Amino acid sequence: VIYNEKNLGCARGWNQGISFWGQNPSIDYYFIFNNDIFVPPFYLYNLCEEMQERSFEIGAGLIVQKNVQLGSLSSLLGYLIPEDRDFIIDSKKTVAIYESAVGQSVFINLLIHRKVVEEIGLFDENFTDVWYEDNDYQRRLIKAGKRILVTGKAPLIHFGGKATETRKDLNRKNFEYFEKKYPDWAWT
């Protein structure tokens, strides 16, 4: 666990973890996820198995429920039944289909091979605090010809922006930076 004196923001925090663990040559994958998700015990096993069987270097679990109110563990587990619903994200069109179906970005959770990070680079730290650093990275992956597997066999729950409810000003600032960076990519 890495402790910081202050919140570094999402991109910088993820980069800090990648850089720290990247020093260890035996680490092949980085697991990146938000702090407001519920990950069931079988999640990582199922995700790794699906990625390996289907030869993907980048994978994520399917968000089966979002903006759930905290409740009992049994009520959460009721949502987490693996399903045969997968998305392969590899173009503007497939980003739109996924985000329309699920209503959120893939990067609430992500398992990514170190060689992909070495090729694409770290997250863009010009995105301050939170918002759009994940959308940016997704676009960078797609532009590099990478495919992302999002599998229903590794479902999870997102509690939905609980730490950022009062910071809508950051949303606008980061969205404007994102639009400047991708003027040819209509927002989905």
Side-chain angles (χ1 to χ4, degrees):
V1 176
I2 300 170
Y3 291 99
N4 295 304
E5 293 289 321
K6 65 176 191 160
N7 185 341
L8 301 179
C10 201
R12 188 170 287 146
W14 286 344
N15 288 344
Q16 182 184 36
I18 291 169
S19 297
F20 176 80
W21 289 107
Q23 297 172 37
N24 183 337
S26 68
I27 301 292
D28 290 329
Y29 285 88
Y30 303 109
F31 183 40
I32 299 166
F33 57 95
N34 284 18
N35 64 351
D36 60 351
I37 61 174
F38 176 78
V39 179
F42 57 82
Y43 165 87
L44 197 53
Y45 176 83
N46 286 5
L47 180 57
C48 291
E49 187 174 75
E50 284 297 303
M51 288 173 62
Q52 186 174 36
E53 284 180 14
R54 297 168 73 175
S55 299
F56 276 81
E57 297 174 319
I58 311 162
L62 181 66
I63 301 158
V64 294
Q65 186 70 22
K66 64 179 184 172
N67 301 325
V68 173
Q69 298 300 312
L70 290 173
S72 70
L73 182 59
S74 62
S75 68
L76 291 178
L77 291 174
Y79 288 113
L80 294 170
I81 299 168
E83 54 184 78
D84 287 327
R85 182 166 73 138
D86 294 341
F87 296 88
I88 296 173
I89 298 173
D90 60 1
S91 67
K92 289 182 194 181
K93 182 178 179 181
T94 56
V95 168
I97 291 168
Y98 174 81
E99 290 179 355
S100 174
V102 178
Q104 298 189 2
S105 171
V106 169
F107 286 79
I108 289 166
N109 72 116
L110 186 71
L111 186 63
I112 186 167
H113 198 280
R114 81 179 298 136
K115 69 181 181 180
V116 174
V117 174
E118 289 167 359
E119 179 183 339
I120 302 299
L122 296 172
F123 287 85
D124 183 345
E125 294 181 11
N126 290 307
F127 291 99
T128 56
D129 289 338
V130 295
W131 284 306
Y132 298 102
E133 70 288 326
D134 50 355
N135 303 97
D136 169 66
Y137 207 79
Q138 183 181 67
R139 268 82 174 158
R140 289 167 51 200
L141 289 167
I142 291 168
K143 283 185 171 190
K146 302 298 181 188
R147 298 175 322 136
I148 306 164
L149 172 66
V150 182
T151 180
K153 292 182 179 67
L156 54 88
I157 292 174
H158 182 220
F159 293 104
K162 299 303 178 198
T164 59
E165 290 173 340
T166 61
R167 298 302 316 266
K168 300 302 179 192
D169 56 317
L170 294 173
N171 188 339
R172 171 57 42 200
K173 179 181 173 187
N174 285 346
F175 179 68
E176 289 170 358
Y177 176 65
F178 180 85
E179 280 191 317
K180 286 179 188 172
K181 195 169 179 179
Y182 300 98
D184 61 330
W185 194 304
W187 187 246
T188 56

